Amino acid sequence: MELWDWFLYFLMPFAAFMYASVGHGGASSYLMILALMGFAPEEIRPSALILNMFVSMISFLNYRKAGVFPTKLFLSLTIFSIPAAYFGGTILLETGIYKQILGVLLLFPVLRFAGVFPMSESPKVAQKWWMAPILGFGIGLLSGMIGIGGGIILSPIILMLGWAGVKETAALSALFIFLNSVAGFLGASVFYIEFSTQLWILLPLTVAGGALGAFLGAKMFSPRVLKYLLAFVLAFAAVKLILG
């Protein structure tokens, strides 16, 4: 086994741990790691979505108990995001374009982990009936096309608008990510999918990292130093992917 393989087996569980600690599935980080290591988009996307399903569901089950779930907001978002994620999954982008879009999307968790997005304790923008469906549709489409669950975009927006608290947003985002990941994977399955043997090794390791991160994030701590470190790594990767 090569050194890069051992590095991969460390990075993926670490990414799952960090993302699950804030209610995310971690797909953007999985995508970054696999893209930088030379995997092709047709293999990267379904692999990340499968990992995302497991980690985001574990994260949801932990955060669901930590606060009141915003059911109305969740339904308004997912009613359009799920079909959009499925449709996005049927679109296979050219490798260069795929990496550039992924690089731009990585900037969202960078800004989130760096504390750039403001959080409001009370609603700053009143919810209109059309706002959440449009937001859900746009995020869902990108989720399916790139192979993310959409939480990296949804969470900072919800917190910035003041539509839900931190724990409620984490629970909402986790279930939103799970459903969009399932829909995106089903859409991507129209293409021939073949997983490497590495995925079956990475799956239990990554899920274990996500389970630990979700438990600690929901019940015990907020790993601020590690978030800043992850933000730096993601920023470096985003620049690399955008510039090629």
Side-chain angles (χ1 to χ4, degrees):
M1 187 178 294
E2 296 182 2
L3 179 61
W4 278 112
D5 293 326
W6 288 110
F7 195 49
L8 182 65
Y9 297 145
F10 167 77
L11 282 179
M12 296 287 275
F14 175 74
F17 173 87
M18 287 304 308
Y19 272 71
S21 71
V22 292
H24 289 189
S28 59
S29 191
Y30 312 147
L31 292 168
M32 171 200 74
I33 295 168
L34 295 174
L36 290 176
M37 290 192 167
F39 288 80
E42 54 268 27
E43 187 175 17
I44 293 172
R45 186 169 58 163
S47 298
L49 287 171
I50 286 180
L51 292 169
N52 222 25
M53 292 177 207
F54 282 93
V55 176
S56 61
M57 178 50 67
I58 292 171
S59 185
F60 168 72
L61 293 175
N62 278 277
Y63 274 96
R64 177 67 182 87
K65 302 172 185 176
V68 178
F69 188 75
T71 304
K72 184 178 179 180
L73 176 58
F74 171 77
L75 293 175
S76 298
L77 289 163
T78 54
I79 193 171
F80 287 105
S81 74
I82 293 175
Y86 176 85
F87 176 72
T90 65
I91 301 172
L92 187 60
L93 298 173
E94 188 271 327
T95 301
I97 296 175
Y98 176 88
K99 288 185 176 181
Q100 288 178 336
I101 295 177
L102 174 60
V104 172
L105 292 178
L106 284 177
L107 295 176
F108 278 87
V110 169
L111 297 176
R112 166 78 190 281
F113 289 139
V116 174
F117 284 108
M119 289 190 294
S120 177
E121 295 295 331
S122 58
K124 281 191 173 182
V125 177
Q127 292 185 50
K128 305 294 184 182
W129 67 268
W130 49 268
M131 290 181 176
I134 290 178
L135 181 62
F137 178 85
I139 295 175
L141 184 63
L142 276 174
S143 299
M145 289 172 59
I146 304 302
I148 60 175
I152 59 170
I153 307 172
L154 180 66
S155 291
I157 293 177
I158 296 296
L159 291 170
M160 187 169 55
L161 295 175
W163 287 358
V166 175
K167 299 287 186 182
E168 292 78 14
T169 299
L172 182 152
S173 295
L175 189 55
F176 181 86
I177 290 166
F178 173 79
L179 294 175
N180 282 333
S181 296
V182 172
F185 180 80
L186 292 175
S189 64
V190 301
F191 303 103
Y192 175 71
I193 297 175
E194 182 177 357
F195 298 110
S196 68
T197 54
Q198 284 180 312
L199 175 64
W200 304 114
I201 301 175
L202 286 169
L203 181 59
L205 293 175
T206 305
V207 170
L212 181 61
F215 174 78
L216 294 177
K219 295 181 169 59
M220 298 182 65
F221 73 102
S222 178
R224 180 175 300 179
V225 175
L226 293 179
K227 288 179 184 177
Y228 286 138
L229 176 61
L230 183 57
F232 173 79
V233 173
L234 290 173
F236 176 81
V239 172
K240 191 176 189 306
L241 289 169
I242 292 171
L243 298 180

